Amino acid sequence: MNVDFAITGRHVYEIKAVLQSVGINEGTEYDALPFNPASRASGYHTFAFRNKQAALEATTTWENHIKQPAHSHR
């Protein structure tokens, strides 16, 4: 099951770190798909999930993460 994640202003490694922090790991629950210039230009990155439950958890986790205000670093 492919899921597109909104990454405008963010990096792919950030998605992977957020998902890993809640136990959703690349190679186990999902696989990264090859870079797609068209989807990246539209602000999305796609992962292929092995089951629907992991895809739903990942989507919810990422959406909650991007809603949080950015932390300022001093």
Side-chain angles (χ1 to χ4, degrees):
M1 159 177 235
N2 290 353
V3 177
D4 295 324
F5 290 87
I7 61 166
T8 301
R10 300 183 182 268
H11 300 280
V12 174
Y13 67 81
E14 182 181 357
I15 298 171
K16 291 180 178 186
V18 168
L19 297 182
Q20 186 176 23
S21 74
V22 295
I24 301 172
N25 299 302
E26 184 175 8
T28 304
E29 283 79 26
Y30 72 92
D31 295 303
L33 295 178
F35 175 77
N36 180 331
S39 67
R40 185 65 58 89
S42 64
Y44 291 91
H45 186 76
T46 306
F47 292 128
F49 284 84
R50 297 181 183 180
N51 66 67
K52 190 173 184 175
Q53 184 61 37
L56 292 172
E57 289 176 23
T59 301
T60 301
T61 299
W62 181 247
E63 288 174 354
N64 288 336
H65 174 76
I66 62 175
K67 288 178 185 175
Q68 297 175 4
H71 299 287
S72 61
H73 298 280
R74 295 181 186 204

